[in-house]
C-alpha cells in the first residue's frame, strides 16, 4: 500500500514537469503596434517560444515586416504620399522604395481612412510615438542579438504574404527571403527560424526546388476566402495531410477548422483535423487566440485546445496570458500549491496508519 | 480535526502573501541598448515596478532620454554630424536640436572615441537595428499606453541629469520636466512618475519653489565623484537624512554607501544609512545591481543580503527579470518551507492524539 502511495506521489510530480505547448506571439504581441521592433521585444520578453511576423516586398526588393499588402491601416502613408495610392484608394507596399517607407510613422491598427482603432483597448492609435517599419534584416538582428544578450532561445515564425501576388510582379519573394536568411547563416532545421505561408505549392517549391532545409509550416484556411489558389479542402483531407507531411513540419490552421463554435462562442465539439495531422507527425498550431475579442470564457478555450484537441502550440496576441493559463492546466491541481498536496498526501498517510492500527488492534 | 488543519493552512497562506521589495529597471533593461523604447518595453513586460530613465536638454529645450551629457557613448553622432564636437572630442546633447538628434542611430554602449563595447555579453553594438533616441513625451506615452494595453500599472522614475550644468547653460531643466509632466496630467504623488536627481538642493527647489507634489527620490554617491555640489557626507549623516525627509520620499544611494565591502568584494557589514532612513520614513533603493558583473552565485547572495539583512525597499537593476525571479523564488521557497513544516507538525500532532485516545 505504501509502495502504491509513493508511486502515485512520484508520478504526479513527473506529470507536473511535462512541457506545455508552444506559445507563439502573433505579430509580436498585442500590447504595442503590431510588428514594430518594440512589440517584438515585448513578445520575446513575455517568454513567447516564438514570435510570428509577416513579410512583403517593397519596390526595390527589400523585405518589409508588415502584415497587409497595403499601408493604410497602420501608417500615415496617406498624409505623407497623398498621390501615390492606387484606384482603390490604398497605398501598396510594392509601389514604394525602402527609403520612402522608412519615412512612415506606424501606429496601432485603425480601420483605413478612419481614426477608429480596430482593437479599442490596445495601445492608443493616436499616440505621437514615431514607431517605424522594420526590415527583415533588422528583425533578424534583433532576434539574434536578444538571444545572445538574454541567453534565451527565442525563435521567429516568418509568414510570406501572398507569394502569388508577388509573382505577378515578377518577384520571387521566397528566394529573397531564403537568401536573406542564408546571409545570417540561417538555413538548417535546427536554426531558430520557421517559414510559413498560405500558398501550399510555394512551400513545395521552397522545399523541392530551392532545397531549403528550414522548418516549414502550412497555413490553412477556407477556400472561399481566396487567400491563395491552393485547395484547402484537399489539404485538410487525409490524402492532403499525407502529402503535406512530406514537405512541412506542421500545419497552422484557423482555429475554427479544429473545433466547431456555436453563435455565442462556446465550443460544441472538435473536428478530426488534429488527430489526422498527428497521425502523419504534423504539429498543429491554430490561430489566433485573442483575449480581448473572444466572446466566451478564454480560460476554457485554452484549456479545451490544450487538453481535448491537444494542439502543439497556440498563436496568440497575448502570449503572457496564454502561458499563464497553460501553466495552470499543465500542473495537476494538487501539485501547484505545495500545501494542498502535502495536506492530501498527509491525509492518505494518516488513513494508511489508521488502517494499519485497526488491523493490529 | 478539520478545524485544526484549516487553522494551520490559513496561517501558512498569510505567510505566503509577504511583500517583496520593488524592482526598478535601470535604463529599462540590460538586454537591448539602454533607454530605447524597445528596452523600456521589455522592462515593462518583465514586470519591473519602475522603469528608470534619464533626461537631458537639447539645444531647443527638448527633453532627450539619454544618460550621458554627450552623444558619443550610445550613438553614431560623429558620423552623422562630423565637426560638431567640442575640444575634448565629444558631441554634447545641448549643442544639437531635436531634429538633428532624431537623425542619429542608437546602439549598445561603447567607449567613446574608441568603439569597444563596454558590456561585451550584451546586445552587439555593431548591429544595424536602427534604434533611436526618444523624447520624454514619447517615453511617457509609451508607459501610459502600455499600462492601458496590458492592464498593469508600472511607473516611471525620471532622473534629471546635472541640473547645475543645465543652469550654467541658462536652462531650468526641472521646469521643463515639470511642464512636460503637467501636460500629461502627471502632478500628484499618486501619479505613476517619480523624479530623482543627484543635486539635493535642486530637489528642494522642485519641492519648495516650483511647488511640485510629485514623489521625489534623492540620489546619493560619494563626494569625491564630483557628481554635484551637494555634500553627501552631510546628507548621509543622521542629521542630513532627517533634513532630507522633509523633502523627499526615498533615497537612491550607490550600494557602496549601504554596505561595507572588503578589498575582495566580500560584504563585511552594513552602514547606518538604511536604518536611519527607515527611522525617518524614507525608503531605500540602492543602485546598480548588474548580474553580468558578479561571477557565480555571488549575485544571488548579494540580493539575498540586501533584502533580508540590510532590508532595502527595492533594487535598481539592469536585470529586472532576473531580480524579480530571485525575489519571487525566495518567497515561494520560504513560503512552502513554512507551509510544509506546519502541515507536518499538524499531521504528527493529529496522529499522536489519535494514538493516545
Amino acid at each position: 500500500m505504501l509502495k502504491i502511495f509513493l508511486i502515485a506521489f512520484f508520478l504526479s510530480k513527473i506529470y507536473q514537469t511535462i512541457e506545455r505547448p508552444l506559445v507563439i506571439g502573433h505579430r509580436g504581441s498585442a500590447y504595442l503596434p503590431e510588428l514594430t521592433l518594440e512589440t517584438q521585444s515585448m513578445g520575446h520578453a513575455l517568454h513567447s517560444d516564438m514570435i510570428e511576423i509577416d513579410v512583403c516586398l517593397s519596390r526595390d526588393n527589400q523585405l518589409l515586416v508588415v502584415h497587409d499588402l497595403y499601408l493604410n491601416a497602420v501608417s500615415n502613408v496617406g498624409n505623407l504620399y497623398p498621390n501615390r495610392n492606387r484606384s482603390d484608394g490604398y497605398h501598396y507596399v510594392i509601389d514604394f522604395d525602402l527609403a520612402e517607407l522608412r519615412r512612415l510613422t506606424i501606429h496601432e491598427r485603425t480601420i483605413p481612412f478612419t481614426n477608429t482603432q480596430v482593437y479599442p483597448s490596445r495601445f492608443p492609435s493616436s499616440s505621437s510615438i514615431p514607431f517605424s517599419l522594420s526590415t527583415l534584416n533588422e528583425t533578424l538582428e534583433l532576434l539574434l542579438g536578444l538571444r545572445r544578450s538574454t541567453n534565451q532561445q527565442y525563435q521567429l515564425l516568418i509568414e510570406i504574404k501572398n507569394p502569388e501576388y508577388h509573382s505577378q510582379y515578377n518577384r520571387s519573394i521566397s528566394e529573397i527571403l531564403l537568401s536573406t536568411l542564408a546571409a545570417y547563416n540561417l538555413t538548417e532545421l535546427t536554426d531558430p527560424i520557421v517559414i510559413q505561408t498560405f500558398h501550399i505549392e510555394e512551400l513545395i517549391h521552397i522545399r523541392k526546388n530551392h532545397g531549403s532545409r528550414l522548418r516549414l509550416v502550412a497555413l490553412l484556411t477556407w477556400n472561399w476566402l481566396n487567400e491563395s489558389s491552393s485547395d484547402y479542402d484537399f489539404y485538410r483531407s487525409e490524402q492532403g495531410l499525407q502529402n503535406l507531411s512530406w514537405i512541412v513540419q506542421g500545419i497552422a490552421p484557423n482555429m475554427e477548422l479544429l473545433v466547431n463554435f456555436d453563435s455565442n462562442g462556446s465550443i460544441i465539439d472538435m473536428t478530426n483535423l488534429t488527430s489526422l495531422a498527428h497521425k502523419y507527425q504534423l504539429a498543429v498550431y491554430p490561430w489566433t487566440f485573442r483575449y480581448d475579442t473572444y466572446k466566451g470564457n478564454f480560460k476554457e478555450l485554452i484549456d479545451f485546445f490544450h487538453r481535448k484537441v491537444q494542439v502543439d502550440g497556440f498563436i496568440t496576441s497575448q502570449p503572457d496570458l496564454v502561458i499563464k493559463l497553460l501553466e495552470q492546466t499543465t500542473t495537476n491541481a494538487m501539485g501547484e500549491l505545495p500545501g494542498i498536496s502535502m495536506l492530501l498526501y498527509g491525509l492518505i498517510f494518516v488513513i494508511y496508519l489508521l488502517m494499519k492500527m485497526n488491523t493490529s488492534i | 480535526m478539520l478545524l485544526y488543519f484549516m487553522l494551520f493552512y490559513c496561517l501558512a497562506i498569510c505567510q505566503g502573501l509577504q511583500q517583496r521589495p520593488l524592482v526598478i529597471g535601470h535604463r529599462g533593461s540590460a538586454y537591448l541598448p539602454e533607454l530605447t523604447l524597445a528596452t523600456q518595453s521589455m522592462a515593462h513586460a518583465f514586470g519591473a515596478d519602475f522603469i528608470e530613465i534619464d533626461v537631458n536638454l537639447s539645444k531647443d529645450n527638448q527633453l532627450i532620454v539619454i544618460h550621458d551629457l554627450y552623444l558619443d557613448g550610445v550613438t553614431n553622432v560623429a558620423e552623422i554630424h562630423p565637426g560638431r564636437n567640442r575640444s575634448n572630442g565629444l558631441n554634447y546633447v545641448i549643442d544639437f536640436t531635436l531634429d538633428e538628434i532624431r537623425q542619429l542611430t542608437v546602439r549598445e554602449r561603447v567607449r567613446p572615441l574608441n568603439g569597444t563595447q563596454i558590456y561585451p555579453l550584451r546586445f552587439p553594438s555593431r548591429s544595424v537595428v536602427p534604434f533611436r533616441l526618444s523624447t520624454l513625451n514619447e517615453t511617457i506615452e509609451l508607459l501610459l499606453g502600455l499600462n492601458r494595453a496590458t492592464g498593469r500599472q508600472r511607473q516611471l522614475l525620471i532622473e534629471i541629469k546635472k541640473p547645475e550644468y543645465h543652469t550654467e547653460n541658462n536652462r531650468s531643466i526641472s521646469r521643463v520636466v515639470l511642464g512636460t509632466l503637467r501636460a500629461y496630467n502627471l502632478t500628484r504623488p499618486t501619479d505613476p512618475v517619480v523624479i530623482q536627481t543627484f543635486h539635493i538642493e535642486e530637489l528642494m527647489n522642485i519641492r519648495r519653489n516650483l511647488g511640485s507634489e510629485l514623489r521625489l527620490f534623492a540620489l546619493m554617491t560619494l563626494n569625491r565623484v564630483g557628481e554635484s555640489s551637494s555634500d553627501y557626507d552631510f546628507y548621509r549623516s543622521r542629521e542630513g537624512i532627517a533634513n532630507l525627509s522633509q523633502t523627499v520620499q526615498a533615497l537612491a544611494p550607490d550600494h557602496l554607501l549601504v554596505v561595507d565591502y572588503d578589498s575582495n568584494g566580500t560584504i563585511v557589514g552594513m552602514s547606518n544609512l538604511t536604518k536611519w532612513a527607515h527611522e525617518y520614513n524614507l525608503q531605500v533603493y540602492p543602485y546598480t545591481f548588474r548580474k553580468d558583473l558578479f561571477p557565480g552565485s555571488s549575485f544571488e547572495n548579494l540580493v539575498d543580503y540586501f533584502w533580508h539583512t540590510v532590508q532595502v525597499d527595492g533594487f535598481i537593476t539592469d536585470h529586472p527579470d532576473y531580480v524579480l525571479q530571485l525575489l519571487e523564488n525566495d518567497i515561494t521557497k520560504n513560503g512552502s518551507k513554512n507551509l510544509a513544516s506546519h502541515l507536518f507538525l499538524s499531521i504528527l500532532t493529529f496522529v499522536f492524539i489519535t494514538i493516545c485516545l
Side-chain angles (χ1 to χ4, degrees):
Chain A
M1 166 66 181
L2 187 64
K3 272 185 221 156
I4 298 170
F5 162 72
L6 282 171
I7 289 167
F9 183 79
F10 284 121
L11 276 176
S12 69
K13 290 295 164 197
I14 291 167
Y15 177 55
Q16 282 168 42
T17 61
I18 287 174
E19 271 169 42
R20 55 160 175 79
L22 291 188
V23 173
I24 300 169
H26 185 242
R27 300 187 208 170
S29 84
Y31 305 117
L32 285 171
E34 59 189 68
L35 297 173
T36 52
L37 292 176
E38 288 80 8
T39 204
Q40 291 181 37
S41 306
M42 263 196 108
H44 292 308
L46 294 170
H47 305 294
S48 309
D49 299 289
M50 266 188 210
I51 60 168
E52 182 265 344
I53 64 159
D54 308 284
V55 292
C56 286
L57 276 182
S58 67
R59 188 162 65 183
D60 49 354
N61 279 339
Q62 296 294 318
L63 284 161
L64 273 303
V65 176
V66 62
H67 176 266
D68 308 329
L69 296 175
Y70 51 82
L71 297 153
N72 305 75
V74 295
S75 80
N76 61 348
V77 66
N79 294 337
L80 229 59
Y81 299 106
N83 304 316
R84 298 276 296 276
N85 54 292
R86 294 188 183 181
S87 53
D88 62 359
Y90 289 84
H91 295 69
Y92 284 76
V93 181
I94 208 160
D95 294 338
F96 293 85
D97 296 330
L98 176 59
E100 297 175 311
L101 294 169
R102 284 216 192 274
R103 296 180 53 213
L104 298 176
T105 301
I106 302 300
H107 57 73
E108 176 58 36
R109 181 173 281 274
T110 51
I111 298 172
F113 317 121
T114 74
N115 286 327
T116 316
Q117 196 159 332
V118 173
Y119 303 104
S121 64
R122 292 192 186 183
F123 198 84
S125 54
S126 55
S127 170
S128 65
I129 296 180
F131 294 107
S132 312
L133 280 178
S134 56
T135 61
L136 179 65
N137 291 55
E138 290 153 10
T139 298
L140 290 172
E141 295 214 12
L142 181 75
L143 176 86
L144 297 173
L146 270 179
R147 279 168 61 94
R148 165 171 137 173
S149 66
T150 61
N151 261 322
Q152 302 287 321
Q153 305 309 307
Y154 302 124
Q155 306 190 58
L156 209 58
L157 174 57
I158 305 172
E159 179 184 341
I160 303 174
K161 298 308 281 187
N162 221 318
E164 292 168 290
Y165 162 90
H166 286 100
S167 302
Q168 288 168 18
Y169 295 87
N170 284 324
R171 324 291 179 105
S172 171
I173 184 174
S174 303
E175 199 171 310
I176 297 175
L177 173 61
L178 290 173
S179 52
T180 307
L181 292 169
Y184 287 94
N185 270 325
L186 298 165
T187 53
E188 306 307 309
L189 198 74
T190 46
D191 282 323
I193 303 289
V194 180
I195 296 177
Q196 66 176 3
T197 191
F198 276 102
H199 189 217
I200 309 297
E201 288 68 26
E202 187 70 16
L203 292 167
I204 297 173
H205 176 68
I206 290 173
R207 182 68 81 213
K208 299 252 175 81
N209 303 350
H210 286 291
S212 173
R213 291 179 295 279
L214 288 164
R215 282 173 285 163
L216 301 177
V217 163
L219 280 157
L220 300 179
T221 182
W222 293 275
N223 284 354
W224 55 265
L225 279 171
N226 281 323
E227 178 66 45
S228 81
S229 64
S230 301
D231 178 3
Y232 300 105
D233 291 339
F234 168 66
Y235 286 112
R236 283 192 287 135
S237 70
E238 176 150 7
Q239 181 61 62
L241 286 165
Q242 188 180 43
N243 280 22
L244 279 176
S245 70
W246 301 325
I247 307 289
V248 306
Q249 277 60 46
I251 56 170
N254 183 310
M255 70 166 96
E256 294 187 44
L257 289 171
L258 299 181
V259 307
N260 296 313
F261 291 96
D262 69 15
S263 48
N264 295 328
S266 311
I267 300 173
I268 306 171
D269 58 15
M270 50 191 246
T271 68
N272 65 352
L273 183 58
T274 308
S275 53
L276 273 180
H278 284 162
K279 181 171 165 185
Y280 293 98
Q281 277 100 51
L282 290 168
V284 179
Y285 305 119
W287 44 273
T288 307
F289 294 86
R290 290 186 178 90
Y291 174 71
D292 52 341
T293 55
Y294 181 64
K295 293 190 206 64
N297 183 315
F298 195 71
K299 184 176 193 316
E300 282 172 16
L301 179 74
I302 301 298
D303 200 53
F304 189 86
F305 272 84
H306 180 202
R307 296 204 287 166
K308 293 273 160 43
V309 189
Q310 301 195 333
V311 298
D312 304 279
F314 291 79
I315 295 178
T316 169
S317 316
Q318 286 94 1
D320 53 333
L321 182 58
V322 173
I323 289 175
K324 195 163 76 138
L325 291 174
L326 288 175
E327 277 168 359
Q328 284 170 15
T329 60
T330 301
T331 333
N332 67 43
M334 297 196 290
E336 180 73 333
L337 266 175
I340 294 185
S341 69
M342 288 291 290
L343 179 71
L344 280 153
Y345 295 132
L347 265 174
I348 295 171
F349 185 58
V350 163
I351 292 167
Y352 165 66
L353 276 181
L354 284 172
M355 281 166 58
K356 278 211 86 172
M357 285 191 291
N358 274 335
T359 54
S360 60
I361 285 169
Chain B
M1 168 236 171
L2 199 63
L3 271 161
Y4 198 28
F5 273 115
M6 295 284 276
L7 184 68
F8 272 100
Y9 187 55
C10 289
L11 276 171
I13 290 284
C14 291
Q15 208 141 356
L17 285 175
Q18 63 184 111
Q19 291 274 39
R20 57 162 175 77
L22 292 188
V23 175
I24 300 171
H26 185 242
R27 300 187 209 171
S29 84
Y31 306 111
L32 286 174
E34 60 188 68
L35 297 173
T36 51
L37 294 180
T39 204
Q40 293 180 39
S41 306
M42 281 191 92
H44 198 285
F46 288 140
D49 301 289
F50 275 89
I51 298 161
E52 185 265 344
I53 63 159
D54 308 289
V55 292
N56 265 305
L57 276 178
S58 68
K59 187 151 121 178
D60 49 350
N61 276 339
Q62 296 293 323
L63 285 160
I64 309 295
V65 176
I66 186 171
H67 177 266
D68 309 327
L69 295 178
Y70 50 84
L71 296 154
D72 305 77
V74 295
T75 77
N76 59 351
V77 61
E79 291 165 43
I80 303 292
H81 300 299
R84 298 278 298 274
N85 51 289
R86 295 190 181 180
S87 53
N88 63 0
L90 298 174
N91 292 271
Y92 283 75
V93 181
I94 210 163
D95 295 338
F96 294 86
T97 62
L98 175 58
D99 280 344
E100 293 175 315
I101 288 170
R102 285 214 193 275
Q103 295 166 36
L104 305 176
T105 303
V106 172
R107 40 127 199 247
E108 177 58 35
R109 183 173 277 281
V110 299
R111 257 170 257 287
L113 312 173
N114 173 310
T116 50
Q117 190 160 338
I118 302 237
Y119 302 104
L121 298 174
R122 293 193 184 185
F123 197 83
S125 55
R126 269 188 304 247
S127 170
V128 300
V129 182
F131 296 107
R132 303 255 174 234
L133 286 175
S134 54
T135 61
L136 179 62
N137 292 54
E138 289 155 12
T139 299
I140 294 170
E141 294 204 16
L142 182 76
L143 177 83
L144 298 177
L146 272 178
N147 281 356
R148 165 173 137 170
T150 60
R152 308 235 190 252
Q153 302 311 306
R154 319 268 185 236
Q155 309 189 57
L156 209 57
L157 176 54
I158 303 169
E159 180 185 341
I160 300 177
K161 299 307 278 187
K162 300 276 198 199
E164 292 169 289
Y165 161 90
H166 284 98
T167 307
E168 280 164 32
N169 283 281
N170 281 325
R171 323 292 178 107
S172 171
I173 184 173
S174 303
R175 269 192 205 277
V176 185
V177 172
L178 291 176
T180 306
L181 293 173
R182 199 175 309 119
Y184 287 95
N185 267 325
L186 299 166
T187 54
R188 292 154 304 189
T190 46
D191 286 322
V193 296
V194 176
I195 295 177
Q196 67 177 3
T197 192
F198 276 101
H199 188 218
I200 308 297
E201 289 70 24
E202 185 68 15
L203 291 168
M204 294 175 182
N205 178 37
I206 291 173
R207 180 68 81 219
R208 310 237 179 94
N209 305 342
L210 301 177
S212 174
E213 289 173 1
L214 289 166
R215 282 172 287 159
L216 301 176
F217 292 176
L219 280 158
M220 302 175 86
T221 182
L222 299 146
N223 281 353
R224 59 177 163 81
V225 171
E227 177 66 42
S228 81
S229 65
S230 301
D231 177 5
Y232 300 105
D233 290 339
F234 168 66
Y235 285 113
R236 279 195 286 139
S237 70
R238 195 170 226 268
E239 194 193 333
I241 289 175
N243 190 307
L244 277 174
S245 69
Q246 291 164 2
T247 305
V248 307
Q249 279 58 51
L251 308 178
D254 185 316
H255 65 105
L256 296 168
L257 298 175
V258 178
V259 303
D260 301 314
Y261 295 91
D262 69 13
S263 47
N264 295 327
T266 321
I267 300 176
V268 295
M270 49 192 237
S271 70
N272 286 318
L273 183 79
T274 310
K275 186 173 72 156
W276 290 337
H278 286 163
E279 265 179 53
Y280 289 95
N281 285 322
L282 292 172
Q283 322 256 263
V284 178
Y285 303 116
Y287 66 87
T288 309
F289 292 82
R290 292 188 171 94
K291 175 170 74 125
D292 44 356
L293 294 182
F294 287 86
S297 66
S298 50
F299 187 73
E300 286 82 346
N301 296 336
L302 186 76
V303 171
D304 192 63
Y305 186 86
F306 272 81
W307 182 9
H308 292 115
T309 310
V310 187
Q311 303 197 335
V312 297
D313 304 281
F315 293 83
I316 296 178
T317 170
D318 291 357
H319 301 93
D321 57 330
Y322 192 62
V323 173
L324 271 168
Q325 202 187 14
L326 288 178
L327 297 178
E328 273 155 16
N329 283 349
D330 197 304
I331 288 181
T332 43
K333 192 174 66 171
N334 283 333
S336 58
K337 262 202 306 233
N338 287 323
L339 191 54
S341 61
H342 275 134
L343 281 162
F344 184 59
L345 267 173
S346 62
I347 290 168
L348 269 183
T349 323
F350 172 65
V351 168
F352 180 69
I353 291 170
T354 324
I355 294 173
C356 288
L357 287 172

